[in-house]
Amino acid sequence: MDSQTLDAADPCTAVIFGATGDLAKRKLLPALFNLASRRALADGFQVVGVGRRPMSDEEYREKVRQDLARFSPVPVDDALWAWFAPRLSYAHEALDSPGSYASLAARLSGEARTGGPPHGCLYYLATPPDVMSGIVAGLADASLLRETSPHAWRRVILEKPFGHDLASARALNAHVGRHLAESQVYRIDHYLGKETVQNLMAFRFANGIFEPVWNRRYVDQVQITVAETVGVEDRGGYYDTAGALRDMVQNHMFQLLALTAMEPPISFNADAVRDERVKVLQAIRLAERDGRPDGLVRGQYTAGPIGDTAVRSYRDEASVPKDSATETYFAMRLTVDNWRWADVPFYLRTGKRLPRRLTEIAVQFRSAPLRLFRDTPVECLSPNQLVIRIQPDEGISLQFQAKVPGQQVRLGVVNMDFSYVDYFDHAPDTGYETLLYDCMTGDQTLFLRADMVETGWAVVAPVLDAVTREPGLALHDYQAASWGPAEADALLARDGRAWRRPDP
């Protein structure tokens, strides 16, 4: 998002439900302020924060300024704040009261008459998932979702989780669909706002040297890793009802998988891109053994040292039951059953209390034949590996063989490394700037469609069913600061493979 080429979005009002919550404080308001610094917001832009806490407009503005001082990726200079502050207002409303939506409608209508929000309305539901359906219904009943012209658009951003399983996801989509057209619904996955995730399509489809080898003939395996060093922190109550599979795999990791494995779209039109992504999810196949899902490992962290700090086990975290059988680590083997990827294993793993925080996609190519080197000291050939680093240090590296200087033919592994910070003057951001801007401009490419959500849940449904029947199903301990349970290593070992160990 280059401020020299970025046009200002249409004038609109961003109505943030949950305006005093953590997401709004740490991400949404800083992202909007950052967009303002890039002149990506129109003069008619407004923010209406909606929350349960009583607060005047001035008190809300002061709170936002204090929060920006802590979390804004750009300095809060006086000139920019003087532009931003008058555009902030606050509505103290109860989300379960019909009168609150009538009051909000009157406020928005009044501001429109005085030159406030003349055109579109963006409703961001930064709220717990159990109140989202009620908010959508309340907005609809107050006629706040009705579009009267192409410029007077109404769009709703929904935060994950999109349901708890396939049945609840279908019910949520059906409820939303009764009040909104799919073109008005923006299901947000903040991973898709990361620069390197977006670069996946550019990397694959804009470079003629990679796409010809991006298939089963040349690729041996793909590994996708999302590792966190933190535990559940203060989210123990929520996390214990979700676990790693629900929290990370069927949304974030499946979207990374879809972008990695998708076919070239016919264009970068939003639905053309999302059509190809959903086809990948529809082609996912899990192994079975004796009628049960196979090729998966569930783990739960135990106490251990992280650096000089001793951390407690998951079951000793606040709000977590002492007999909890919720997984904090999940690894799985799957295949994408289509022409391009037939028989290529995709290995996914995610966990808390792992040694490093990182998200990466590692594509390992098939090894070259050793025959040419049979009369040399070379005993084996390391396979080429392409690693796409998504966080924290965004970049791409390619590992290949080179001759070690000397009289004998000896080979060594070298890395060709690209890092975003070294090549581009990329301004700091929160990861939400692109997604908010795309919503304001009506671009749904990076957002999830209803069928994508349901297909992701359908893939993991057999696993969830098996765990429901047997809550402690194959739950293995792993010590904090390790790379997960030994059973995860065995999962790859039975294929003659091993997990990639990122450098410390």
Side-chain angles (χ1 to χ4, degrees), residues 309-455:
T309 304
V311 299
R312 56 192 172 187
S313 69
Y314 174 71
R315 292 179 181 177
D316 289 330
E317 300 279 16
S319 304
V320 174
K322 296 300 182 184
D323 60 349
S324 172
T326 297
E327 79 281 349
T328 61
Y329 177 98
F330 193 90
M332 66 191 308
R333 180 193 192 278
L334 56 83
T335 55
V336 176
D337 195 12
N338 62 17
W339 187 268
R340 180 185 291 260
W341 296 111
D343 303 322
V344 175
F346 286 74
Y347 301 103
L348 278 58
R349 62 174 170 171
T350 183
K352 293 186 174 295
R353 292 295 189 206
L354 299 183
R356 281 191 58 193
R357 172 180 172 262
L358 67 90
T359 299
E360 68 174 30
I361 301 164
V363 179
Q364 183 166 305
F365 295 92
R366 297 186 183 278
S367 295
L370 189 61
R371 297 184 186 90
L372 177 65
F373 299 91
R374 57 181 172 266
D375 296 325
T376 73
V378 176
E379 296 181 355
C380 64
L381 296 175
S382 297
N384 301 127
Q385 196 172 74
L386 179 73
V387 180
I388 300 164
R389 303 187 306 274
I390 295 169
Q391 66 176 11
D393 55 333
E394 299 182 341
I396 301 171
S397 63
L398 179 63
Q399 176 181 293
F400 58 94
Q401 303 266 5
K403 181 181 177 297
V404 177
Q407 304 308 310
Q408 289 185 316
V409 177
R410 294 186 299 119
L411 300 179
V413 176
V414 296
N415 278 301
M416 184 181 295
D417 191 70
F418 152 70
S419 178
Y420 265 84
V421 296
D422 294 335
Y423 282 83
F424 299 113
D425 184 18
H426 178 60
D429 61 30
T430 68
Y432 279 75
E433 285 83 352
T434 296
L435 298 171
L436 288 168
Y437 181 81
D438 283 356
C439 182
M440 294 178 199
T441 56
D443 186 348
Q444 292 182 298
T445 304
L446 298 177
F447 295 85
L448 275 62
R449 208 167 55 190
D451 56 347
M452 300 172 74
V453 172
E454 294 181 16
T455 302

Side-chain angles (χ1 to χ4, degrees), residues 286-295 469 491 494-495:
L286 303 183
E288 288 189 359
R289 180 181 295 180
D290 300 327
R292 299 171 64 182
D294 191 33
R469 291 192 301 269
L491 174 66
R494 72 190 194 190
D495 290 344

Side-chain angles (χ1 to χ4, degrees), residues 54-315:
M55 198 181 306
S56 68
D57 288 351
E58 284 305 318
E59 289 172 329
Y60 180 60
R61 289 168 187 152
E62 180 57 29
K63 178 188 183 311
V64 171
R65 176 151 195 170
Q66 292 177 6
D67 293 340
L68 290 176
R70 295 177 60 196
F71 301 113
S72 174
V74 295
V76 186
D77 66 76
D78 291 339
L80 184 57
W81 176 249
W83 185 92
F84 195 69
R87 290 165 170 78
L88 299 172
S89 62
Y90 184 79
H92 171 221
E93 305 290 356
L95 302 182
D96 55 355
S97 168
S100 293
Y101 297 95
S103 173
L104 181 61
R107 171 188 283 265
L108 295 177
S109 176
E111 289 183 356
R113 288 195 298 270
T114 58
H119 298 301
C121 253
L122 181 167
Y123 302 101
Y124 200 117
L125 276 55
T127 59
D130 57 345
V131 302
M132 288 185 179
S133 295
I135 294 174
V136 171
L139 291 171
D141 291 343
S143 298
L144 287 170
L145 300 179
R146 190 169 57 208
E147 297 184 327
T148 57
S149 74
H151 293 292
W153 47 259
R154 301 291 182 265
R155 296 167 188 152
V156 176
I157 297 182
L158 299 177
E159 273 281 346
K160 80 169 187 76
F162 312 113
H164 190 71
D165 53 20
L166 180 56
S168 60
R170 284 174 172 165
L172 177 60
N173 282 336
H175 174 83
V176 170
R178 285 194 289 271
H179 303 292
L180 291 157
E182 183 63 28
S183 61
Q184 295 177 274
V185 183
Y186 288 68
R187 298 172 187 83
I188 196 167
D189 183 337
H190 68 271
Y191 262 60
L192 298 184
K194 296 182 183 298
E195 197 66 43
T196 314
V197 173
Q198 299 169 57
N199 191 44
L200 261 174
M201 286 192 293
F203 176 79
R204 285 187 56 194
F205 304 133
N207 296 294
I209 64 173
F210 295 113
E211 185 57 24
V213 297
W214 210 261
N215 56 61
R216 65 187 300 272
R217 183 174 180 183
Y218 299 101
V219 175
D220 174 72
Q221 59 171 299
V222 179
Q223 295 184 16
I224 301 177
T225 299
V226 178
E228 300 178 277
T229 57
V230 298
V232 295
E233 300 177 300
D234 59 352
R235 299 170 65 236
Y238 158 73
Y239 193 88
D240 202 64
T241 66
L245 178 60
R246 285 186 170 96
D247 191 50
M248 295 297 296
V249 176
Q250 65 81 32
N251 43 64
H252 298 326
M253 299 193 76
F254 277 4
Q255 291 307 311
L256 297 181
L257 168 64
L259 286 166
T260 303
M262 65 185 281
E263 294 295 323
I266 59 172
S267 73
F268 281 117
N269 170 274
D271 274 332
V273 174
R274 296 193 295 180
D275 285 346
E276 299 305 332
R277 281 160 54 193
V278 79
K279 287 177 185 177
V280 174
L281 301 181
Q282 291 167 342
I284 290 177
R285 296 293 179 268
L286 303 183
E288 288 189 359
R289 180 181 295 180
D290 300 327
R292 299 171 64 182
D294 191 33
L296 55 91
V297 175
R298 300 171 67 238
Q300 189 182 90
Y301 65 81
T302 60
I306 293 185
D308 297 328
T309 304
V311 299
R312 56 192 172 187
S313 69
Y314 174 71
R315 292 179 181 177

